[in-house]
Amino acid sequence: MTRTLGVHRGRGGPTGPGRVPMRPMVMVMVMVMVMATAVAIGAVWPAAAAGQSTDALLDRPANLDVDDVSVADGLRALQRASGVSIAFSPDLVPSDRRIGCPCREMTVGEALSRILEGTGLEWREARRQVLVGRPGSAMGPAATTVVGMVVEGETGRPVPAADIVIDGGRRLLTGSDGRFTVRGVAPGSTVRLSVEALGYEPARAEVSADGGVGGVRVALTRAPLPLSEIVIAPGSFGVLDATPTAAGVTISRDDIEAIPQFGDDAFRTLKRMPGVSSDDVSTRLNVRGGTSRDLLVRLDGLELFEPYHLKDLDGAFGIVDVQSLGSIDLVTGGFPVEYGDKTAGIFDMHTRRPPPTGTRTTLGLSLSSMSAISQGHFADGRGQWLGALRRGFLEYVLSVTGVDDDLSPSYWDALGRAHVLLGDRHAVSAQFLYAGDDMRWNDDETGSGVRSRWTNGYGWLTWRGRPTDGLDVETLVSVGRLSRDRTGATNNVGRGEFSPLTTDVNDQATVDFAGIRQEMSVDLTPDLLVKIGGEFRTSVADYDYRAASTRYALDSDDRLFIDADSVRVVADPDGDELAGWAALRGRTGPFAWEGGLRFDRHTVTDDNRWSPRLMARWDPGSGTSVKASWGRYAQSQGIHELEVADGQSVLAPAETSEQMAVGVEHRTAGGWAFRLEAYDRQVDDPLPEWVNLSREINPIPEVESDRTRIQGAEARARGIEALVALEDAGPFSGSVAYALASAENRIDGAWRPRTLDQRHTLNLFGSVRLGGAWQLSGAWQYHTGWPFTEQFLDVVVTEGIDGVEEVEVVRRGFGTLNAGRLPAYHRLDLRVTRRFQMDRSLLEVYLDVFNAYNRTNLRGWEWRLRDHGDGTFGAQRDPGEEQLPLMPTLGVRWVF
């Protein structure tokens, strides 16, 4: 039900409070961050250096990161970093062996396993020290810990996330480096291990626990990947700790932490992926010619509807801290039927797992925010918990640096998760996510001001089970609320060429929703499975928007008068969304395929859409795969997306698109990954889009005189993408990505570029570790300039009113939509990280330099009136709508 009262539009909107200045005072910013870092180090150093606990020595954090050192030097470095006394004879340690140990998040026992691997030496804990010697030698009382590693038999590479069952009862997972630790083992007993991992045959091992045992090595043999885990869709990227086998090209967590970026933001980590476009200020991702609302964003299976902080500043940050994430899957090609109501891609985030034992806490301080994240276990290891808090303090940075004393933006978010294993076949998790923004802009000189407050709240329960072999079930129940409270008033008499006399805006909205999602996968045979699922969500919204303005205007005889313009929209739409899907997946030799059908119904717009989809994959040889997809996709305008500020009171019908993609990937044993992909998307009846042609960042953009509604009869996007990445080459990593693409709307019979159309895009990244303590990285980006719309200005001199004899009124017009091109964009970002190993903790200090050579990149032109001197006037464009300049960020992170 929708109720609209007094919807009215006058003859044009007024100019708002003006663009937000974005250029900081660099030296002051550096001083602020240096002082903040010094305070943080002063606070954490005494606590980190104070005393040793009485925990088991082998369980203490190793805090070690060394590379290319001798075994003896590695043992000595471990002793210094962990504070644990390690006794060994130099005569027993091989002198010609060089080792590396990036072990800052391991225990002492795990680090010893890595350092002594292949030496034939063992270690035991005795009299508050660790003794290293030959097996069977007299090294004191036996310990009760078994430390080992799971590797791939053919290559020796570690196997992460392997599931280990100990004596048919206790369970644990290997870390990202394949390491595991079994504690509480009775001396002299035999430990029986059953090991399973995705893509490998199960393996068993027996270890005689005669005291502490190190260097246990379990080798797994490659097996055909389970059919349910094969990624058939093109355009699939695994990020952070995702398994390479399942996700295609993978970016490691070390790479993500090394990439220079502003704000440690989960969305900004993917701005350099092929097919993704975005500007410096915004964290919104535009995938393959689509807009940010065309991207499905999920966290642990739940869709996030407004996943951005500071939406009045174009969504400057995401609402999930990247440090709380364990993996991110980005799909930019065709995706299967279980994902719906979006057309461009999927941004699927998963929270991080805690360490195998104990807790891990991370405290961070940077230019944009301070954060705290902690993880651990409960219920004898069957349960896991995670808690994360983040507070952005941009308002303090802007105030101290003098960027804009009138602008005060702040944001915060909190994330919590509890996960419990119920036996061997079931798991339940409970989660919440809450995020809020508060932004103020005041101009004391004119009495103008804007205040906006946004909140996002989500809560959800998830049950995952395997009731019988071959049957996997997942149920997710969720509730949530979105709200905003935005008010603004301007008084611009005599200020600016396009300014109204006055404006007054009041925007109130809340959206409540609840839903349930059910998915099921059934293995009919080892090479054939069926997927069935459904989702139901009900939503209700309450909108109350009003805006009023006055401005000078001219009648048909060029006589001046004051025009009053007002808009009032009151609406309370409510409706249900129902979806169902089924798919059949099969495999024959090197071929895998999937065919599915999806149905979506939206009661508020009475839309019923069917979406058939097909995907296929061919693996012609080791490390090579060819993928192709075709499908239809439907996307509705959500109840939370009603553009009441632009006079919209009724939701638009859903748009549909037809997409095709084909790609080839190849991975080498040396860590190289190659991919080449082509795509084509045709969109019927695209959803309307409201934009500001000058691209000014404004907290009330709807009152700008260049506000424009883009409604194409159809849209299209097509392109070719290439990626070369070096993922596993010791201290080196890097990538090169190139995209040739176009994105267009058909308007009035002609094809026009979309707002962020980029013909050519090139991204380069490289990182190197120096001696374990230092890491240097750089990223360079180039793309073709975005399109812009030409503006025309003219002056009419007319008789004044209210005692004013003569007034010059500027008339503003626009040329063909997006017919021009801005200058090409390019910039270089650098980051240097220094790690300090301390007593049972790790301190990281990093300097991030955004736009290192201070390139002036444009978001758009600033248009001014130009006097030709002969009584005529015209429009002059200046580079006033600039993107971010050189911005150094000093940050600190403490892990303990």
Side-chain angles (χ1 to χ4, degrees):
M1 178 177 65
T2 302
R3 182 178 76 254
T4 306
L5 303 178
V7 178
H8 171 73
R9 246 322 158 184
R11 290 183 292 172
T15 300
R19 65 182 183 277
V20 177
M22 301 304 297
R23 182 174 294 273
M25 295 176 63
V26 173
M27 294 308 297
V28 177
M29 186 181 301
V30 173
M31 294 175 61
V32 171
M33 295 310 299
V34 169
M35 293 172 61
T37 304
V39 171
I41 294 175
V44 302
W45 194 284
Q52 298 288 340
S53 76
T54 58
D55 294 344
L57 300 181
L58 295 173
D59 293 344
R60 291 185 178 180
N63 302 321
L64 180 66
D65 196 342
V66 295
D67 185 44
D68 194 26
V69 299
S70 67
V71 175
D73 286 342
L75 291 172
R76 295 185 186 102
L78 177 60
Q79 178 173 266
R80 291 192 302 269
S82 65
V84 173
S85 176
I86 301 175
F88 66 96
S89 172
D91 296 334
L92 298 178
V93 177
S95 59
D96 58 347
R97 185 181 182 89
R98 312 291 291 182
I99 60 97
C101 190
C103 309
R104 60 183 184 275
E105 295 187 357
M106 295 183 185
T107 64
V108 170
E110 292 167 334
L112 283 169
S113 175
R114 182 142 187 166
I115 294 172
L116 298 176
E117 183 178 352
T119 64
L121 299 177
E122 294 182 353
W123 62 90
R124 296 176 183 172
E125 181 179 337
R127 298 184 182 92
R128 307 308 300 162
Q129 67 176 177
V130 174
L131 306 179
V132 177
R134 293 192 181 96
S137 62
M139 294 190 295
T144 56
T145 300
V146 175
V147 179
M149 182 179 185
V150 178
V151 299
E152 184 178 288
E154 293 86 348
T155 65
R157 299 176 69 174
V159 178
D163 187 8
I164 301 177
V165 180
I166 306 163
D167 292 330
R170 296 163 53 196
R171 306 184 70 141
L172 55 88
L173 294 174
T174 59
S176 59
D177 59 354
R179 305 279 170 172
F180 67 90
T181 301
V182 183
R183 297 178 176 81
V185 179
S189 64
T190 299
V191 180
R192 298 175 178 82
L193 307 176
S194 298
V195 184
E196 296 183 4
L198 180 66
Y200 299 92
E201 298 285 357
R204 297 181 182 275
E206 291 189 357
V207 179
S208 177
D210 184 14
V213 178
V216 176
R217 190 180 181 91
V218 181
L220 301 183
T221 301
R222 277 278 181 188
L225 197 65
L227 187 58
S228 61
E229 301 295 340
I230 295 177
V231 175
I232 301 179
S236 301
F237 296 86
V239 185
L240 299 176
D241 296 334
T243 305
T245 305
V249 176
T250 299
I251 301 174
S252 69
R253 172 168 287 280
D254 285 344
D255 287 340
I256 290 297
E257 293 180 349
I259 291 175
Q261 56 176 299
F262 178 67
D264 274 347
D265 185 79
F267 290 84
R268 292 180 185 272
T269 61
L270 299 185
K271 283 192 173 187
R272 295 179 177 89
M273 300 298 287
V276 176
S277 60
S278 183
D279 67 24
D280 292 353
V281 177
S282 176
T283 194
R284 300 175 186 270
L285 302 180
N286 300 272
V287 175
R288 289 186 172 177
T291 66
S292 60
R293 72 180 180 187
D294 302 332
L295 182 69
L296 174 63
V297 179
R298 305 202 317 173
L299 175 64
D300 288 337
L302 178 72
E303 181 178 358
L304 305 181
F305 298 110
E306 291 285 354
Y308 308 104
H309 279 303
L310 303 177
K311 286 171 279 293
D312 296 311
L313 297 180
D314 207 15
F317 300 99
I319 63 174
V320 181
D321 190 346
V322 70
Q323 292 299 319
S324 64
L325 297 178
S327 66
I328 302 173
D329 294 321
L330 176 67
V331 181
T332 59
F335 39 89
V337 291
E338 58 263 35
Y339 302 101
D341 209 25
K342 299 294 180 183
T343 59
I346 305 166
F347 186 84
D348 206 2
M349 300 176 285
H350 306 275
T351 50
R352 208 170 177 179
R353 291 173 175 164
T357 61
T359 62
R360 178 192 294 122
T361 299
T362 303
L363 303 179
L365 176 67
S366 70
L367 169 69
S368 61
S369 66
M370 55 184 175
S371 62
I373 301 170
S374 191
Q375 306 162 266
H377 299 266
F378 63 94
D380 296 327
R382 298 194 313 275
Q384 303 174 356
W385 58 267
L386 178 145
L389 294 171
R390 183 171 55 160
R391 170 68 161 86
F393 45 80
L394 281 179
E395 69 273 31
Y396 303 131
V397 175
L398 294 175
S399 176
V400 172
T401 59
V403 173
D404 187 352
D405 294 334
D406 300 328
L407 180 66
S408 179
S410 63
Y411 64 92
W412 59 92
D413 51 63
L415 171 66
R417 181 174 188 260
H419 178 81
V420 182
L421 294 174
L422 304 177
D424 293 336
R425 292 183 176 268
H426 303 275
V428 176
S429 62
Q431 294 177 246
F432 77 88
L433 173 65
Y434 181 81
D437 301 344
D438 191 342
M439 195 205 72
R440 305 182 187 189
W441 175 84
N442 295 291
D443 187 343
D444 295 334
E445 183 179 346
T446 65
S448 302
V450 176
R451 172 76 182 273
S452 69
R453 286 168 288 191
W454 300 69
T455 61
N456 286 7
Y458 304 87
W460 66 107
L461 294 172
T462 307
W463 166 65
R464 295 182 178 90
R466 192 174 178 87
T468 62
D469 290 342
L471 174 62
D472 293 288
V473 183
E474 177 176 319
T475 303
L476 188 152
V477 181
S478 63
V479 296
R481 163 171 277 205
L482 313 175
S483 71
R484 71 170 179 259
D485 179 355
R486 190 171 58 114
T487 58
T490 63
N491 180 8
N492 294 316
V493 177
R495 294 172 60 85
E497 295 159 339
F498 316 120
S499 300
L501 300 175
T502 61
T503 62
D504 182 59
V505 174
N506 191 301
D507 182 13
Q508 313 288 326
T510 60
V511 181
D512 295 289
F513 53 88
I516 182 170
R517 179 183 176 92
Q518 179 73 58
E519 295 184 78
M520 181 183 302
S521 175
V522 183
D523 295 330
L524 303 178
T525 71
D527 294 319
L528 190 67
L529 67 82
V530 62
K531 298 188 294 183
I532 303 173
E535 184 173 13
F536 173 80
R537 181 166 57 230
T538 183
S539 306
V540 58
D542 185 6
Y543 292 95
D544 188 349
Y545 178 86
R546 74 170 188 269
S549 65
T550 60
R551 60 181 301 163
Y552 286 130
L554 299 173
D555 63 15
S556 58
D557 296 323
D558 285 344
R559 289 178 299 188
L560 186 69
F561 70 97
I562 295 179
D563 182 30
D565 177 31
S566 65
V567 180
R568 180 70 191 274
V569 177
V570 177
D572 55 355
D574 65 83
D576 301 328
E577 302 169 44
L578 178 65
W581 61 86
L584 187 66
R585 173 176 287 205
R587 174 174 54 191
T588 303
F591 295 95
W593 52 267
E594 178 175 315
L597 182 64
R598 179 184 178 94
F599 173 75
D600 288 276
R601 170 165 174 76
H602 296 266
T603 63
V604 70
T605 55
D606 197 27
D607 274 322
N608 298 284
R609 306 285 177 164
W610 292 92
S611 303
R613 301 173 193 175
L614 298 172
M615 294 179 291
R617 171 172 173 160
W618 173 43
D619 296 311
S622 177
T624 302
S625 64
V626 180
K627 302 175 185 178
S629 69
W630 169 89
R632 291 193 64 82
Y633 300 80
Q635 179 174 330
S636 64
Q637 185 179 22
I639 286 179
H640 64 285
E641 296 176 322
L642 190 65
E643 300 284 358
V644 293
D646 292 291
Q648 185 186 20
S649 59
V650 178
L651 293 171
E655 69 175 31
T656 57
S657 66
E658 182 175 336
Q659 302 185 36
M660 294 181 290
V662 60
V664 59
E665 302 176 10
H666 179 71
R667 301 170 66 91
T668 70
W672 288 93
F674 305 87
R675 70 187 299 162
L676 181 67
E677 189 162 318
Y679 65 91
D680 181 271
R681 181 167 78 245
Q682 303 290 329
V683 183
D684 299 326
D685 299 322
L687 292 170
E689 180 183 3
W690 282 266
V691 301
N692 291 82
L693 296 180
S694 63
R695 289 200 176 97
E696 289 183 353
I697 296 179
N698 193 303
I700 46 175
E702 70 272 19
V703 303
E704 294 285 346
S705 61
D706 62 345
R707 189 72 167 173
T708 301
R709 181 178 186 266
I710 298 177
Q711 179 67 75
E714 58 181 317
R716 66 187 183 190
R718 56 189 64 177
I720 300 174
E721 299 169 355
L723 174 68
V724 179
L726 180 60
E727 301 171 345
D728 186 11
F732 300 98
S733 63
S735 64
V736 179
Y738 170 75
L740 172 66
S742 68
E744 300 171 301
N745 286 313
R746 189 170 68 86
I747 300 175
D748 297 330
W751 288 101
R752 302 298 180 193
R754 303 196 80 174
T755 304
L756 294 186
D757 175 64
Q758 296 176 185
R759 183 68 174 169
H760 300 280
T761 304
L762 178 64
N763 289 300
L764 309 177
F765 168 71
S767 177
V768 59
R769 289 183 178 272
L770 303 175
W774 290 90
Q775 183 169 9
L776 305 177
S777 58
W780 187 76
Q781 181 178 8
Y782 167 91
H783 66 72
T784 306
W786 294 326
F788 74 90
T789 302
E790 198 78 35
Q791 297 190 24
F792 303 99
L793 305 178
D794 191 15
V795 172
V796 176
V797 179
T798 182
E799 293 183 1
I801 58 177
D802 296 333
V804 180
E805 293 183 0
E806 192 175 83
V807 174
E808 294 181 350
V809 179
V810 179
R811 290 192 292 201
R812 189 181 196 184
F814 299 94
T816 302
L817 179 68
N818 290 339
R821 285 279 176 179
L822 295 172
Y825 175 104
H826 57 85
R827 79 167 196 266
L828 173 67
D829 301 336
L830 301 172
R831 172 174 284 204
V832 56
T833 303
R834 176 67 165 94
R835 297 178 175 88
F836 298 91
Q837 301 289 344
M838 300 190 303
D839 225 20
R840 308 194 62 189
S841 66
L842 170 70
L843 183 69
E844 292 183 336
V845 179
Y846 60 88
L847 174 64
D848 196 331
V849 182
F850 182 93
N851 196 0
Y853 52 78
N854 202 24
R855 161 76 175 181
T856 299
N857 292 302
L858 299 183
R859 302 183 81 252
W861 297 109
E862 182 174 359
W863 299 87
R864 301 181 183 277
L865 188 67
R866 181 180 180 183
D867 187 347
H868 296 299
D870 57 359
T872 63
F873 297 85
Q876 174 179 315
R877 61 188 190 205
D878 297 325
E881 301 304 323
E882 299 177 4
Q883 303 219 54
L884 297 180
L886 184 148
M887 292 184 66
T889 301
L890 191 61
V892 59
R893 185 178 297 124
W894 183 32
V895 183
F896 58 93

